[in-house]
Amino acid sequence: MKNCTITIDNKEVTVPEGTSILEAAKKVSINIPTLCNHPDQTVKANCRICLVETKPGKLETACSTKVRDGMTINTVSKLVRDTQRGVLELILANHPQDCLKCIRNGKCELQKLCEMFHISKSNLEDEIDALEKDESNPSIVRDHSKCIKCNRCIEVCQEVQGVSILSHAHRSTKYCITPAFEKKLVNTLCVFCGQCTSVCPVGALYEKDDTEKVWNALYNDNLHVIVQIAPAVRVSIGEEFGAKPGTKVTGKVVAALRRLGFDKVFDTDFTADLTIMEEGHELLDRINRGGTLPMITSCSPGWINYIEGFYPQLLDHLSSCKSPQQMFGALSKTYYAKKLDLDPSQIFTVSIMPCTAKKYEAERKEMSSYGYRDVDAVLTTRELARMIKSASIDFLNIEEENFDEPFGITTGAGVIFGVTGGVMEAALRTVYEVVTEHELENLDFMDVRGLEGIKEATVDLNGTPIKVAVAHGLSNAKKILNQINEGKSDYTFIEVMCCPGGCIGGGGQPIGSTMKVREERIKGIYDVDKVMPLRKSHENPAVKELYEEFLGQPLGKISHKLLHTTYSPRSEKIDFDYLQWNNEIALTEE
Amino acid sequence: MNRTVNIISKNFKKYNPESIEEYLELGGFEALKKAIEMGPQEIISTLKTSGLKGRGGAAFSTGRKWEYSANVKGDKKFIICNADEGEPATFKDRYLLEYDPFKVIEGMIIAAYTTGSTNGYIYIREEYKYLHNKVRKAIELAEKHGFLGKNILGSGLNFNIKVVSGAGAYVCGESTALIESIEGKSGRPRLKLTRTSKQGLFGLPTLVNNVETLAAVPPILEMGVEEYIKYGTHTSKGTKLISLCGNVNKPGAYEVPFGITLREIIYDIGGGIKDGKQLKFLQLGGASGAIIPAKLIDIKYCYEDLEEHGASVGSGAILVADETNKVTHFLKSVQDFFIHESCGKCTPCREGNRQLTKIINRFVTGNASVEDLKTVEKFANVMKYASFCGLGQTAPTALLTAIKYFPVEFYQQIDRIRKTS
């Protein structure tokens, strides 16, 4: 490839042809300010903050302009600075400057620009659009009075997830990012994945904060408050406190949760192992009895929302297994309650999830098999970090602690649920050994690992080769569903994760989940798996004990009642009236 | 002496636009035949010699534009005739479509032949609804006579044309917003990472030309380029259709040679100012154009001389304002237009227009501050330098030239020394 030699602020640099001015400037240690630009997205050039002078009196956006050989660029001329500051002043005049109260305080890209430019005064008159907040759903809040119209959320919604709920409407000062016909999210087929909250540079899209609900439960002496943490949280929450992405902080989270006042701290990995037992046997059952194939995993609630809304004709392909979060919830109100001799109403079950869709999942009508909600409150990784900060816990220096028993005994198979391909790999480790009755020599199924959109593998089960696929990001899932729809799918088992990279890239994870960060978190997860003494779900002694003491066998009668669920086509209108569940009469059958 | 000419406008009101026979009698489609004899290379070099520039406002060399397009390979290539004519005070394309639609079609066919294009669109603004079917009818007649369709005049060219209606947005006159609109999306300009000639409509090679540009091609080929360039100046060759309007006795679309003075246009062609009033200023090129004070009316109407004074030919609109017009009130009408038409995509245009509107309104009501004048100029410049597309870049042109030529009118509207808010 040809190289271009250019001069940026009197410094010469040679870069390959096709490099943007923005990237070229980084080579000489100049970080041109940006706002709409996102490392994983297409170039938009609509915020106009990154303008630089390419000829005297001519400004071009550094993000979208490719270097031309011999170009002389000035990034600090008076014209550049005046214009950049002017653009920023214009944004500020239309932005509610309630930074101290904003959920993105300290993590806002606009705030960072303000710090850089230090606009102490402006002659512009503020005009903030009076727009209603959309708090209609359990997962995501849209406060579009704060929206700066960067279009990042639209790209992630339309291109990465392929759900196309967010789009733009109107023009000029009324131009806005909105679902079609300005519907509230709850009245659309939004899957609540929260990827939009993850790419929003400001506080216009964020998770619904349930921390107060959890604090109140903790303060209630009549409640036994227990908590489960999802696999993906342990390699990401450290970022909120300055640790590098992928740093494993499991023991610190456990300790912090105890300091916050949780009575027992458990691990969702445990019910991930349980999911493998149920799902693995369901798969074998379908293969042996000619059930609907390919069978598709069901642990990702954004994915469930998607297939219910967009491919209702394919619901039979879904495994009937509840997600690990919900299995945990169901057990907490039955098996665990019985063990502790507590009334289920006294148990308040919290989960810490990398996911905003989990909030919605916990509130689904069918997730209360015995009259009690399986899970009472769901916090995202970001919310837990918020609680830890507000409790003044020195997170990075806290002494590590271990999970409580029995739901704290886990395997490597459970932890890899947090990454794309992990459920598949965990299932294969178990299914292989159950079917062949041989010990698996190599536990690492490399074919299903990594960030490629759709991954395939073939596994030999006693002479029968079965073909499996793994997809992450709903636009990839869509391709697989279309194959099934057209009768062209030759897979037996498919794993789908709603978010790119799997749960480690979930919509509830710390802000800044770029692809690079996702890679680091994935590495962190596999590092945890590698050093676990047990790496296969069916070897988990606590799971074995659970079957012996309570469930009987996988797919048994109690499993069926507690650990499995049903799906139904989703219309655009979701009715949350049933959430008056507190008044429901407990229908305990035991 | 009235110096109007009849080159592009030769056929105006000379034939019934619903009769292709009458157009043929006037020598219609002779230029196409000549073009096929010349071949693409010669057409391109002829256009380069003619100095023909985009007549929609951007003034890019038509010969070079066609050359780029001709060099792009592709089985399916588009030509779009931009008849969105949304620029306020501009109506010359309407005259062309109304009185000589076949010439526009002929120009498009020549463009298709030159660039090897297969499909044409005429994007007509929604407000010209009454023209949509008339142009469709003309296309139909051209098809029947073998000027459109397969193997046109034995040249091997296959080409057809469709009429598409805009939906009322001014920004769709911007070529990439126009393309988005034809694709069925909302009309907002696109980020051009590659030239439209390579990747335009539906991602395929596309040539976008203004109505007048296309209509100028047949006469140039027919009369010969040497004859054509006798009109105009050394650097602004040929003729231009102007839309003369405002406080003038004889408003209308006229064809003038470049190099004519503004005085000649207003007084000889336009019959002077209405009701014997004094001329105060002109706005050239539509709402996005510059304001020129009366004292400058002896300058020549051509690209280079206007540029010297911070103005441009633009679409060819010439809006005449007499002494009764207050500059600040006039700017409000311009500003009201732009705040309505900004697409909202980029910050400077969306928020800049919002702020400019507020401040100009204070000048109109007479309670602006000294800071307001500085602020309005500062943000007009931010818009000019930072906006995504031509709309935002040129929206403050009238304001900036008004501040330059009529500063006193602003000071008269200031009632506070310091901003009180």
Side-chain angles (χ1 to χ4, degrees):
Chain A
M1 191 186 264
K2 238 180 82 185
N3 282 334
C4 293
T5 300
I6 58 168
T7 309
I8 304 178
D9 298 338
N10 303 316
K11 172 87 182 163
E12 208 175 84
V13 61
T14 302
V15 291
E17 194 180 25
T19 308
S20 69
I21 296 177
L22 188 68
E23 292 306 315
K26 280 183 189 154
K27 295 265 188 304
V28 292
S29 305
I30 293 166
N31 293 319
I32 296 167
T34 58
L35 192 51
C36 67
N37 192 60
H38 187 282
D40 300 335
Q41 295 200 350
T42 58
V43 172
K44 301 181 179 58
N46 55 31
C47 77
R48 317 302 289 176
I49 272 284
C50 68
L51 287 162
V52 293
E53 203 164 351
T54 52
K55 273 179 211 159
K58 183 170 169 61
L59 300 184
E60 290 186 89
T61 39
C63 66
S64 68
T65 310
K66 307 263 183 269
V67 295
R68 299 179 287 267
D69 200 32
M71 205 177 201
T72 302
I73 297 158
N74 195 330
T75 76
V76 285
S77 70
K78 179 165 168 53
L79 180 62
V80 169
R81 277 176 47 81
D82 283 354
T83 311
Q84 288 179 340
R85 286 174 66 92
V87 171
L88 189 56
E89 270 184 69
L90 286 170
I91 296 173
L92 288 186
N94 181 239
H95 191 82
Q97 289 168 44
D98 59 350
C99 303
L100 296 181
K101 296 178 201 159
C102 180
I103 197 156
R104 285 292 287 271
N105 187 16
K107 293 192 197 95
C108 170
E109 293 178 37
L110 181 59
Q111 206 177 33
K112 247 176 231 141
L113 284 179
C114 292
E115 188 192 354
M116 284 169 68
F117 283 92
H118 181 59
I119 294 169
S120 55
K121 77 177 180 83
S122 170
N123 281 328
L124 295 178
E125 203 173 89
D126 289 355
E127 185 175 294
I128 316 295
D129 307 311
L131 299 165
E132 194 192 349
K133 255 191 216 178
D134 176 4
E135 298 179 282
S136 60
N137 66 85
S139 298
I140 297 165
V141 181
R142 275 186 71 232
D143 179 1
H144 57 158
S145 66
K146 286 193 176 145
C147 176
I148 55 149
K149 286 92 175 171
C150 69
N151 281 248
R152 286 184 190 177
C153 56
I154 294 184
E155 181 167 334
V156 85
C157 192
Q158 296 190 354
E159 306 300 326
V160 179
Q161 298 298 54
V163 291
S164 299
I165 300 303
L166 293 175
S167 184
H168 42 61
H170 305 299
R171 57 187 197 177
S172 190
T173 54
K174 292 203 168 61
Y175 174 65
C176 65
I177 313 301
T178 169
F181 311 113
E182 290 171 73
K183 282 184 186 173
K184 293 195 166 173
L185 285 178
V186 75
N187 296 326
T188 69
L189 288 177
C190 173
V191 300
F192 307 123
C193 70
Q195 287 299 313
C196 55
T197 67
S198 176
V199 296
C200 182
V202 294
L205 283 157
Y206 53 90
E207 68 284 0
K208 183 166 252 181
D209 187 288
D210 287 314
T211 53
E212 280 309 309
K213 194 170 160 186
V214 174
W215 280 118
N216 285 334
L218 290 169
Y219 294 145
N220 187 335
D221 291 340
N222 298 321
L223 288 178
H224 177 77
V225 186
I226 63 171
V227 61
Q228 56 167 324
I229 78 158
V233 176
R234 69 205 62 197
V235 292
S236 65
I237 193 167
E239 294 164 36
E240 290 274 355
F241 303 91
K244 280 197 184 119
T247 310
K248 178 200 155 199
V249 288
T250 322
K252 295 184 190 298
V253 187
V254 174
L257 288 166
R258 288 221 178 85
R259 297 300 88 71
L260 290 174
F262 287 97
D263 294 301
K264 294 281 179 193
V265 181
F266 295 126
D267 195 344
T268 313
D269 292 10
F270 173 83
T271 37
D273 283 334
L274 184 60
T275 302
I276 289 302
M277 295 304 289
E278 292 291 326
E279 203 164 86
H281 282 91
E282 186 186 358
L283 176 66
L284 293 174
D285 186 61
R286 287 196 191 199
I287 294 173
N288 294 334
R289 303 205 315 174
T292 307
L293 291 173
M295 185 176 93
I296 317 178
T297 58
S298 58
C299 12
S300 168
W303 150 242
I304 297 299
N305 292 339
Y306 179 72
I307 188 170
E308 285 186 327
F310 294 84
Y311 290 85
Q313 71 277 21
L314 300 181
L315 289 176
D316 283 347
H317 289 272
L318 284 177
S319 157
S320 65
C321 287
K322 283 183 181 176
S323 69
Q325 156 172 288
Q326 295 305 132
M327 285 196 183
F328 180 96
L331 290 177
S332 73
K333 302 293 171 81
T334 53
Y335 172 71
Y336 178 78
K338 225 163 145 187
K339 246 187 154 148
L340 264 68
D341 200 21
L342 284 168
D343 188 89
S345 66
Q346 290 171 279
I347 297 176
F348 191 89
T349 305
V350 178
S351 40
I352 313 297
M353 294 285 144
C355 179
T356 48
K358 285 282 174 198
K359 289 173 182 278
Y360 169 76
E361 181 188 40
E363 298 204 356
R364 288 176 71 115
K365 195 171 194 170
E366 59 281 11
M367 295 299 175
S368 64
S369 20
Y370 281 78
Y372 300 97
R373 301 304 302 169
D374 291 344
V375 173
D376 297 287
V378 180
L379 299 180
T380 59
T381 313
R382 300 197 285 269
E383 288 165 271
L384 176 61
R386 211 168 287 143
M387 282 183 80
I388 294 173
K389 283 173 191 168
S390 86
S392 317
I393 293 167
D394 179 3
F395 183 79
L396 290 185
N397 293 313
I398 198 168
E399 197 181 323
E400 300 197 358
E401 294 179 16
N402 289 323
F403 285 112
D404 287 302
E405 289 187 12
F407 301 150
I409 299 167
T410 61
T411 72
V415 83
I416 58 174
F417 263 59
V419 300
T420 168
V423 178
M424 179 60 69
E425 187 168 344
L428 292 177
R429 288 178 190 175
T430 289
V431 168
Y432 182 88
E433 293 201 353
V434 169
V435 173
T436 63
E437 291 175 0
H438 289 303
E439 199 181 322
L440 194 56
E441 278 171 29
N442 183 6
L443 291 183
D444 300 336
F445 288 82
M446 299 311 284
D447 286 352
V448 298
R449 295 187 181 185
L451 278 171
E452 202 183 315
I454 296 174
K455 295 163 280 184
E456 286 183 341
T458 305
V459 186
D460 185 57
L461 291 182
N462 264 358
T464 317
I466 67 159
K467 208 173 158 193
V468 300
V470 173
H472 58 118
L474 292 175
S475 57
N476 292 318
K478 193 179 197 168
K479 291 176 196 158
I480 291 214
L481 288 176
N482 286 339
Q483 285 175 2
I484 299 176
N485 229 356
E486 293 161 12
K488 288 180 189 159
S489 179
D490 59 350
Y491 303 121
T492 303
F493 186 36
I494 300 167
E495 177 207 294
V496 176
M497 288 294 156
C498 174
C499 294
C503 307
I504 49 90
Q509 289 283 56
I511 297 299
S513 295
T514 58
M515 277 302 167
K516 224 172 141 192
V517 167
R518 284 170 214 242
E519 270 172 36
E520 293 303 315
R521 291 178 189 157
I522 288 173
K523 209 173 149 282
I525 289 278
Y526 285 121
D527 286 348
V528 177
D529 168 41
K530 214 179 284 171
V531 298
M532 291 290 274
L534 295 172
R535 295 181 64 197
K536 293 173 246 176
S537 297
H538 56 285
E539 290 178 354
N540 184 328
V543 170
K544 283 182 190 163
E545 195 182 301
L546 173 68
Y547 277 109
E548 278 159 24
E549 283 184 11
F550 183 64
L551 293 172
Q553 58 184 18
L555 307 183
K557 197 176 157 222
I558 306 174
S559 286
H560 186 73
K561 276 211 165 72
L562 288 178
L563 309 181
H564 291 257
T565 185
T566 54
Y567 310 100
S568 41
R570 205 173 134 203
S571 68
E572 291 200 3
K573 183 102 186 134
I574 304 173
D575 185 5
F576 278 106
D577 286 353
Y578 64 82
L579 285 179
Q580 308 304 325
W581 53 269
N582 282 328
N583 306 326
E584 274 176 32
I585 300 158
L587 297 166
T588 36
E589 289 195 13
E590 295 300 312
Chain B
M1 191 188 69
N2 186 333
R3 285 181 59 194
T4 53
V5 289
N6 289 304
I7 292 172
I8 308 169
S9 58
K10 190 182 82 179
N11 293 343
F12 283 8
K13 302 183 185 177
K14 294 274 167 61
Y15 77 98
N16 172 10
E18 290 187 16
S19 161
I20 195 167
E21 288 81 6
E22 289 184 28
Y23 179 66
L24 289 165
E25 275 167 32
L26 291 170
F29 292 108
E30 286 303 318
L32 174 61
K33 288 173 194 160
K34 201 169 171 188
I36 292 167
E37 280 167 27
M38 289 165 79
Q41 285 313 316
E42 205 185 325
I43 298 170
I44 289 168
S45 66
T46 303
L47 289 180
K48 282 185 178 169
T49 315
S50 78
L52 181 64
K53 292 178 180 179
R55 300 291 196 228
F60 186 80
S61 160
T62 307
R64 277 173 62 198
K65 199 171 188 176
W66 286 24
E67 189 175 34
Y68 284 134
S69 286
N71 288 338
V72 177
K73 301 258 177 298
D75 296 335
K76 195 166 188 180
K77 289 165 77 173
F78 293 103
I79 289 186
I80 299 172
C81 168
N82 184 347
D84 193 50
E85 199 168 49
E87 192 64 60
T90 311
F91 41 84
K92 44 103 189 167
D93 293 343
R94 192 184 76 206
Y95 272 62
L96 277 167
L97 291 174
E98 192 166 358
Y99 298 122
D100 203 0
F102 290 113
K103 182 163 288 145
V104 181
I105 292 168
E106 191 176 351
M108 279 182 85
I109 302 168
I110 296 171
Y113 172 71
T114 311
T115 58
S117 299
T118 51
N119 298 71
Y121 285 94
I122 305 182
Y123 185 93
I124 309 178
R125 68 182 303 204
E126 198 263 344
E127 292 85 341
Y128 291 172
K129 210 171 201 156
Y130 73 106
L131 286 175
H132 294 173
N133 282 338
K134 287 185 179 180
V135 176
R136 286 192 182 104
K137 175 84 184 167
I139 292 168
E140 203 181 292
L141 291 173
E143 272 169 8
K144 272 191 189 149
H145 283 74
F147 297 112
L148 285 171
K150 292 231 155 70
N151 194 16
I152 296 166
L153 301 182
S155 66
L157 171 70
N158 302 324
F159 183 64
N160 59 57
I161 301 177
K162 275 184 191 159
V163 169
V164 180
S165 171
Y170 166 76
V171 73
C172 289
E174 198 277 342
S175 61
T176 60
L178 188 157
I179 285 169
E180 291 275 298
S181 173
I182 296 182
E183 288 182 6
K185 299 169 188 158
S186 48
R188 294 183 216 285
R190 224 184 235 186
L191 184 62
K192 256 199 276 189
L193 295 173
T194 42
R195 278 178 202 278
T196 308
S197 56
K198 271 192 183 157
Q199 270 186 15
L201 186 61
F202 302 113
L204 295 170
T206 306
L207 171 72
V208 187
N209 275 137
N210 173 258
V211 177
E212 185 187 343
T213 317
L214 290 166
V217 175
I220 292 172
L221 298 188
E222 221 184 319
M223 71 197 290
V225 67
E226 295 308 324
E227 199 57 34
Y228 179 75
I229 59 174
K230 283 183 184 162
Y231 297 92
T233 68
H234 183 62
T235 40
S236 303
K237 296 189 171 87
T239 65
K240 175 85 188 85
L241 280 181
I242 57 166
S243 312
L244 185 62
C245 61
N247 308 127
V248 67
N249 280 318
K250 290 193 279 180
Y254 301 98
E255 185 173 1
V256 298
F258 282 112
I260 190 171
T261 65
L262 290 168
R263 183 185 295 281
E264 283 176 284
I265 291 173
I266 298 156
Y267 291 95
D268 298 346
I269 298 172
I273 311 298
K274 258 188 177 170
D275 305 327
K277 295 221 166 56
Q278 291 295 308
L279 173 69
K280 184 166 180 183
F281 62 86
L282 304 172
Q283 189 180 26
L284 302 182
S288 63
I291 285 178
I292 294 285
K295 65 179 182 202
L296 291 177
I297 62 163
D298 287 312
I299 58 175
K300 282 182 183 163
Y301 189 71
C302 58
Y303 292 109
E304 57 278 10
D305 285 21
L306 288 176
E307 199 186 323
E308 249 174 58
H309 292 88
S312 65
V313 170
S315 64
I318 298 175
L319 177 68
V320 179
D322 68 23
E323 56 192 315
T324 61
N325 290 284
K326 265 192 168 182
V327 168
T328 49
H329 287 63
F330 176 77
L331 289 174
K332 178 179 157 54
S333 71
V334 171
Q335 192 52 37
D336 287 348
F337 173 75
F338 282 112
I339 195 161
H340 185 248
E341 293 297 347
S342 166
C343 84
K345 179 184 175 116
C346 76
T347 317
C349 181
R350 181 183 67 244
E351 302 305 329
N353 272 314
R354 186 201 299 263
Q355 294 293 339
L356 258 47
T357 304
K358 281 167 168 296
I359 301 174
I360 289 171
N361 283 342
R362 288 203 284 271
F363 277 104
V364 168
T365 51
N367 50 13
S369 67
V370 176
E371 278 79 3
D372 278 338
L373 186 54
K374 287 183 201 151
T375 309
V376 86
E377 191 174 4
K378 171 179 162 184
F379 287 95
N381 274 310
V382 169
M383 285 177 69
K384 178 178 148 187
Y385 285 110
S387 292
F388 189 97
C389 81
L391 191 157
Q393 289 159 12
T394 58
T397 308
L399 173 65
L400 286 168
T401 45
I403 294 173
K404 180 177 165 191
Y405 292 119
F406 297 96
V408 175
E409 299 232 358
F410 289 88
Y411 289 115
Q412 283 167 349
Q413 299 297 100
I414 291 173
D415 76 338
R416 286 174 294 167
I417 293 170
R418 200 173 291 114
K419 201 175 163 191
T420 46
S421 66

